[in-house]
Amino acid sequence: MPNHAPVVPAARADQFITQSLDLAGVSLEAVEKLRTLFLAISFMPDNHPTTQELATLGAHLAGEWVSVIESEREDLERLRGLPQ
């Protein structure tokens, strides 16, 4: 028996997309703040080198997550713009 996605009314799908976009926006903002925090720590001159390395790694990981969330958000924006 084939596995089919459930049929969702267009209004409900649009609501889901809007909520997902809101969540993506909040997530993106949070990860951007983390990246800024990690970068600030990594540039502090009196930190131990290991602290700077970890902060740099944290900033890099946050940057990767920004890219993932932004890509997903763009996909949702395109989906929302499709005719129903």
Side-chain angles (χ1 to χ4, degrees):
M1 179 174 202
N3 190 4
H4 297 285
V7 176
V8 177
R12 179 67 182 117
D14 189 51
Q15 180 185 14
F16 173 73
I17 292 170
T18 299
Q19 289 173 336
S20 297
L21 284 167
D22 290 344
L23 180 59
V26 169
S27 298
L28 189 59
E29 184 179 326
V31 175
E32 285 282 8
K33 288 178 181 178
L34 281 174
R35 181 167 59 172
T36 300
L37 173 65
F38 284 126
L39 284 173
I41 292 169
S42 72
F43 288 118
M44 293 175 72
D46 55 340
N47 278 340
H48 189 276
T50 302
T51 303
Q52 291 177 342
E53 290 170 7
L54 290 172
T56 302
L57 177 61
H60 178 74
L61 291 173
E64 288 181 2
W65 275 106
V66 164
S67 297
V68 169
I69 294 168
E70 185 61 35
S71 175
E72 292 297 320
R73 187 174 73 167
E74 289 170 1
D75 289 346
L76 288 167
E77 286 286 356
R78 279 192 294 277
L79 185 60
R80 182 167 66 174
L82 293 176
Q84 298 183 15

